[in-house]
Amino acid sequence: MSAYEEEMETAGNLGRKLGLNRRQFLAATTGMAAVAAVSAAGPMKSAAHAANGILVPPPRRGIILYTVRDAITRDPLTSNLASGFKAVLKELGRIGYAQVEFAGYAQHRNAEGGASLESVEGARLLRGWLDDSGLVAQGNHGFIPGSWPLNQADLDRFKLHLEIANILGMKHVGTGSDPTGSAYKADWDVAAEKWNTLGQIASEAGLKLYTHNHDVAYSFLLDSGPLDAQGRPTRSSGIRRLEYFLQNTDPKHVWLEMDIFWAYVAQYKHKTFTAPDGSAQTQIFNPLGVVQAQTMRFPLFHAKDGKINTGTANGYDMVPFGTGDIDYKSFFSEMGAKGYHNPMYEQDNAPGGTANPGQSLQYAALSYNNISKLRG
């Protein structure tokens, strides 16, 4: 029996003791209902995953749909491969994934439901497909208003996205972009003000608002030293941009999804800065340390693997999860708050194009298998 089959059997046994089928049990264990139910049922083997050293238990194994975007946007009339949301969600559920993160609501126009499901009606359709596939929606890289102060049109669309998230059963809603692409403190101050406001609106809707990082967000903030011709600072006190953002946003309303791959790229790329006195300083970034310092502010991760390649600017090549050099065993073992985080497998370059149109779903299966094997 495989490790996955053993875990499914354990889930089934526990579920039966609680009067739930396996799918209901796995869905329930993503929230507090399962915690209460397991506590009421006694110790049983509720610690089975921990005892077995499983680092990502079955209910926490997720994928962001950007990884399989080629399949979602594929014309179902011209391919016998899974195409469109309905078929792709079914296939991901068959592989074993328990949760997904959306990357927008667009699919091929010939797929059931049409080209865009960014609506209340579309969300209801998606929710039915999620339920049928045994999947839970955990978050979305969706719409974040660009305007500040907010204009009414942006506010209305943002609130629509919150309504869609609630229909889909999400606990989180976010974006795939950094809060700002600027290097300057003043712009990050504005971003913090904006996100505090948006985060409070999301909290009132029962959702956690999160931002996502690329490597540049963990480069050094320009906040000191001589000013340039536009009156902007040219040197750094040594704080990284996203760390400054964390310090200046309300932990009750603003959350983060660390893309672990891009955090390791930052470790490779962003090592030095010019201090206020003009001296060159070296500071190696520690992605795990950032999470350990405030682990509850990272409810989601992008579990994206990389193979070291110092011949490239990033220092890593993206590869299927479990085939790279990022030490996920240590990361997931040592980050704290076990059972709280939701790792979402992502691979930007998973689609194989016309040469291998099934590649992204093949990589999804391979990566799921490797995630399920992670032991502490």
Side-chain angles (χ1 to χ4, degrees):
M1 183 181 292
S2 69
Y4 170 69
E5 289 168 334
E6 290 176 359
E7 291 153 16
M8 292 300 98
E9 183 177 21
T10 298
N13 291 337
L14 291 175
R16 282 189 290 274
K17 290 181 181 180
L18 298 175
L20 303 172
N21 64 35
R22 182 181 69 82
R23 195 177 83 179
Q24 289 170 329
F25 177 79
L26 292 178
T29 52
T30 63
M32 293 306 295
V35 176
V38 171
S39 298
M44 302 185 302
K45 290 187 178 179
S46 59
H49 293 150
N52 292 333
I54 295 171
L55 292 178
V56 185
R60 297 290 179 175
R61 295 172 193 165
I63 180 171
I64 179 168
L65 297 179
Y66 181 74
T67 302
V68 292
R69 61 195 180 278
D70 60 323
I72 290 171
T73 57
R74 184 162 46 220
D75 186 349
L77 302 182
T78 62
S79 175
N80 59 0
L81 298 171
S83 306
F85 277 117
K86 183 178 182 179
V88 170
L89 292 173
K90 181 178 180 180
E91 177 63 12
L92 293 174
R94 186 198 66 78
I95 289 170
Y97 286 100
Q99 53 185 358
V100 297
E101 181 182 21
F102 281 84
Y105 303 110
Q107 61 176 356
H108 196 277
R109 66 180 181 274
N110 289 333
E112 185 173 340
S116 176
L117 297 177
E118 187 184 307
S119 65
V120 169
E121 294 76 15
R124 289 173 180 153
L125 198 58
L126 282 168
R127 178 60 186 268
W129 297 338
L130 287 166
D131 292 345
D132 290 344
S133 302
L135 294 168
V136 173
Q138 193 61 252
N140 178 42
H141 284 189
F143 174 73
I144 298 295
S147 62
W148 188 253
L150 287 172
N151 62 49
Q152 191 60 48
D154 277 356
L155 179 58
D156 289 344
R157 188 179 175 196
F158 181 62
K159 289 183 175 180
L160 171 62
H161 272 256
L162 300 181
E163 183 178 4
I164 289 171
N166 276 318
I167 293 170
L168 292 173
M170 293 179 187
K171 294 181 174 64
H172 312 86
V173 62
T175 175
S177 303
D178 298 319
T180 172
S182 172
Y184 301 107
K185 176 181 178 295
D187 294 324
W188 282 88
D189 287 335
V190 171
E193 179 185 4
K194 171 182 170 181
W195 275 75
N196 278 331
T197 299
L198 294 175
Q200 186 167 356
I201 295 170
S203 294
E204 290 168 356
L207 295 158
K208 294 179 178 178
L209 180 69
Y210 65 93
T211 185
H212 171 276
N213 68 274
H214 294 88
D215 68 282
V216 70
Y218 284 117
S219 63
F220 296 98
L221 188 72
L222 295 179
D223 60 357
S224 56
L227 304 181
D228 66 14
Q230 286 75 45
R232 302 172 300 187
T234 57
R235 297 175 184 172
S236 178
S237 63
I239 188 170
R240 296 175 187 270
R241 302 180 192 182
L242 204 49
E243 290 178 279
Y244 180 79
F245 178 80
L246 272 176
Q247 291 176 9
N248 288 275
T249 48
D250 190 334
K252 298 190 301 294
H253 300 307
V254 179
W255 313 79
L256 277 89
E257 173 184 65
M258 177 181 278
D259 186 306
I260 299 171
F261 173 89
W262 289 117
Y264 273 83
V265 170
Q267 183 181 70
Y268 175 78
K269 288 175 63 173
H270 305 298
K271 301 177 181 178
T272 61
F273 64 94
T274 303
D277 63 4
S279 63
Q281 300 291 323
T282 299
Q283 182 189 113
I284 305 299
F285 181 56
N286 180 2
L288 176 58
V290 169
V291 175
Q292 288 173 327
Q294 42 193 330
T295 186
M296 301 300 285
R297 287 197 81 178
F298 293 85
L300 291 89
F301 291 112
H302 274 183
K304 181 188 300 178
D305 211 344
K307 185 172 285 293
I308 293 172
N309 181 358
T310 56
T312 67
N314 290 332
Y316 291 88
D317 294 327
M318 291 182 197
V319 295
F321 188 93
T323 67
D325 298 310
I326 295 176
D327 187 359
Y328 274 98
K329 177 179 177 180
S330 294
F331 198 100
F332 288 153
S333 295
E334 300 170 18
M335 65 185 174
K338 287 184 175 60
Y340 167 75
H341 305 94
N342 300 282
M344 301 290 172
Y345 158 62
E346 183 182 39
Q347 188 177 342
D348 299 5
N349 59 358
T354 55
N356 188 356
Q359 178 174 281
S360 65
L361 285 168
Q362 292 165 6
Y363 281 176
L366 171 63
S367 296
Y368 178 87
N369 189 47
N370 289 334
I371 291 169
S372 70
K373 292 177 179 177
L374 276 177
R375 297 292 188 275

